[in-house]
Amino acid sequence: MNNTVKDDPQAWSTLGTNYLYRKPWLTMRQDTVQLPNGRVIDDYYIWEYPPWVNVLAVTPEQQFVLIRQYRHGIGRVNYELPAGVHDKQGESLLESAKRELHEETGYGGGRWSPLLELSPNPALQNNITSTWLAEGVELLGGQQLDATEEISVHLVSLDELRSIALDGSMLQALHVAPILKYLLTKKH
């Protein structure tokens, strides 16, 4: 789909970039940019992140594989989709999504297709989140969690998934949006 409209705003020109902070999980840069009207902004800040992947996984019994984990940023435990960072050299987004699902839940296999791409915050972040639909996944083994992860796995029905997405039990917008797309586009 072409998102260009006749009178669309034009892209800004980057006149300079200064990296303020560079760590594997947190990179911040300050750009000097020039708008099409000639105005210059000397301090436009961008957070750089690698791509993220999410998985909406469904078992052959039509149970959806969700996780719950503590998120220190908001100080709460909520439902989430299995998800992670695409950070392994040579790994495709699909391979990353499959790895994350297996590591966090023990589930895998099935038929995989792209579901949705979203920008977490297009004004201030440079990454895209890719969500994959994995249908017919099965339990292949145990979780393979990192030392800092504590994740519980939950199988929920379609009605429970709908409630979780709509009642505030899932706060991560990048997880709620693909569920809503699934609910709106799949015939149930």
Side-chain angles (χ1 to χ4, degrees), residues 26-41:
L26 180 65
T27 299
M28 182 185 207
R29 72 176 200 250
Q30 177 184 359
D31 286 349
T32 299
V33 296
Q34 183 174 27
L35 284 59
N37 66 9
R39 180 169 180 233
V40 173
I41 302 173

Side-chain angles (χ1 to χ4, degrees), residues 114-129:
L115 180 63
L116 186 63
E117 284 191 343
L118 295 169
S119 170
N121 183 346
L124 303 174
Q125 289 178 224
N126 70 335
N127 65 320
I128 298 293
T129 299

Side-chain angles (χ1 to χ4, degrees), residues 11-83:
W12 298 357
S13 299
T14 303
L15 303 177
T17 295
N18 179 34
Y19 280 90
L20 305 173
Y21 193 81
R22 279 189 177 191
K23 294 286 183 180
W25 297 101
L26 180 65
T27 299
M28 182 185 207
R29 72 176 200 250
Q30 177 184 359
D31 286 349
T32 299
V33 296
Q34 183 174 27
L35 284 59
N37 66 9
R39 180 169 180 233
V40 173
I41 302 173
D42 292 318
D43 55 355
Y44 199 92
Y45 299 98
I46 299 291
W47 297 98
E48 292 185 3
Y49 294 100
W52 296 336
V53 294
N54 299 332
V55 181
L56 180 57
V58 191
T59 69
E61 299 78 28
Q62 297 303 298
Q63 296 288 300
F64 294 83
V65 183
L66 299 181
I67 62 171
R68 286 178 61 83
Q69 65 182 319
Y70 175 76
R71 293 300 192 179
H72 191 65
I74 61 171
R76 291 174 54 176
V77 174
N78 288 96
Y79 283 101
E80 296 182 357
L81 295 177

Side-chain angles (χ1 to χ4, degrees), residues 79-103:
Y79 283 101
E80 296 182 357
L81 295 177
V85 175
H86 176 255
D87 60 354
K88 295 205 184 310
Q89 285 290 335
E91 186 177 65
S92 71
L93 289 170
L94 176 58
E95 291 167 335
S96 180
K98 288 180 176 184
R99 177 180 48 79
E100 288 293 343
L101 176 66
H102 188 259
E103 287 175 0

Side-chain angles (χ1 to χ4, degrees), residues 3-16:
N3 290 327
T4 303
V5 177
K6 180 182 174 200
D7 295 322
D8 268 356
Q10 300 300 303
W12 298 357
S13 299
T14 303
L15 303 177

